Amino acid sequence: MSHSLTSESPPPLVQSPSQEFWTGARDIIPLVVGAIPFGIIFGTLATSNGLSPGATLAMSAFVFAGSSQFIAAGMIATQTGWLLIVLTTFVVNLRHLLYSVSLVPYIKALPQQWKVPLAFWLTDEAFAVVIRRYESKDKSHFKHWYYLGAALTMYLNWQLCTLLGITLGQMIPDATSWGLDFAMSVTFIGMVIPYLKNKPMVISVVVASIVAIFAASLPNKLGLMLAALLGIGAGVISEHLLSTTTPRGIHHE
Amino acid sequence: MNEKLLILGMMLATFSVRYVMFGASSRIKLSPALLNALRYVPPVVLSAIVAPEVLLSDGALSVGLMNARLVGAIAAIIISYTTRNLLLTIVVGMVVFFAWQGLMIL
């Protein structure tokens, strides 16, 4: 009987570094699955656009930024100079400023030898799972190990998929048609819904979604940046408006 | 194409953006107003990534039952809203998406 009771009770708090590490590695799996087709396509596309296999692998290993790598592969095909590609990469990656500034309160006490690799491995996917871990209420001192586990899993998968694309890409049927990338969409949906506890949050998400759709044709992920900034603005402004009209309206979070 | 310069440059352009706030994190103090605004970053960014993925098809708005991604996303929203269970949301969303896509091929 006591066994069935323990299995009914909530899971124990994750505490030790290795438990945190492996939980992070596990929690990012749906997003890793969603990235598989893109890694394979990148390996295939970059080499067929004229980047050497070695440089293609090196780009995944040292740059590790999916969107930028895709845009770079496209620019290589059109004979664009390296400097312009580098400047474009900078613009495409600006959204990481939003992620890293959001993580500042949680990582500021870490030593440099942690901040450097954690920054290097910061991606959309890692941010999504890691901020969730940091925002959860328990007082674990090892949440950076969760970050490391999640980020490393994403990184290793990206290297393997790039290699797969380079070596077997021509034999693999069109990876865009698999639908695996949809795993990212449903994961993000499941992460967003719990935030929608008050009107400002709902307004900010609705504004961001609408702007993202209509600004999707902007180059270099600028539509995403615009949508994020306008969504944040809409949330903050509606917070102020709602708190002046209904003074107790937003304090029930 | 100078591949070494390209990769070195892209590496610096990427890492600098990712690291600048981390590197300065022990010296900067975020104002309460900024910290409040940052609460919106995760839901806003994630929905800004998802909305075009679900609602755009080859750059055009696709709202209707022919859009299997939209049907899967609606299923995921319902499951997430009613259960708050992330894994169940992912599984049901994917199953509905693949099943719907399969039905439309038939």
Side-chain angles (χ1 to χ4, degrees), chain B residues 26-43:
Chain B
S26 49
R27 272 159 285 153
I28 51 172
K29 181 121 175 60
L30 302 177
S31 70
L34 182 59
L35 282 171
N36 181 53
L38 290 177
R39 291 186 304 123
Y40 291 93
V41 170

Side-chain angles (χ1 to χ4, degrees), chain B residues 28-78:
Chain B
I28 51 172
K29 181 121 175 60
L30 302 177
S31 70
L34 182 59
L35 282 171
N36 181 53
L38 290 177
R39 291 186 304 123
Y40 291 93
V41 170
V44 154
V45 168
L46 299 186
S47 47
I49 292 174
V50 171
E53 295 276 339
V54 168
L55 286 164
L56 294 183
S57 165
D58 295 321
L61 201 59
S62 167
V63 184
L65 294 178
M66 294 301 288
N67 183 350
R69 282 169 198 272
L70 179 58
V71 175
I74 290 169
I77 290 168
I78 292 169

Side-chain angles (χ1 to χ4, degrees), chain A residues 52 55 62 64 80 89-90 93 99 112 115 119-120 122 178 181-182 184 188 193 200 204 212-213 228 235 239, chain B residues 1 3 7 10-11 14 17-19 22 25 36 39-42 44-45 48-50 55-56 69 80 97-98:
Chain A
S52 71
F62 297 118
F64 185 49
T80 314
T89 298
F90 185 78
N93 285 321
Y99 303 159
Q112 280 301 318
K115 286 177 186 170
F120 177 80
L122 182 62
W178 298 352
D181 56 298
F182 191 61
M184 188 183 82
F188 284 180
I193 299 293
S204 70
I213 288 166
E239 216 177 286
Chain B
M1 172 65 64
E3 294 185 331
I7 288 165
M10 284 181 71
M11 184 175 92
T14 304
V17 176
R18 285 173 173 167
Y19 179 72
F22 278 26
S25 60
N36 181 53
R39 291 186 304 123
Y40 291 93
V41 170
V44 154
V45 168
I49 292 174
V50 171
L55 286 164
L56 294 183
R69 282 169 198 272
S80 180
F97 164 66
F98 280 124

Side-chain angles (χ1 to χ4, degrees), chain A residues 63-69 86-99 122 220-221 225, chain B residues 10-11 13-15 17-18:
Chain A
V63 182
F64 185 49
S67 313
S68 308
Q69 291 179 232
V86 168
L87 293 174
T88 306
T89 298
F90 185 78
V91 176
V92 173
N93 285 321
L94 282 177
R95 67 189 190 287
H96 291 100
L97 278 179
L98 275 179
Y99 303 159
L122 182 62
N220 303 332
K221 293 261 167 187
M225 272 299 272
Chain B
M10 284 181 71
M11 184 175 92
T14 304
F15 181 72
V17 176
R18 285 173 173 167

Side-chain angles (χ1 to χ4, degrees), chain A residues 57 90 96 144 190 202:
Chain A
L57 281 175
F90 185 78
H96 291 100
H144 51 292
V202 175

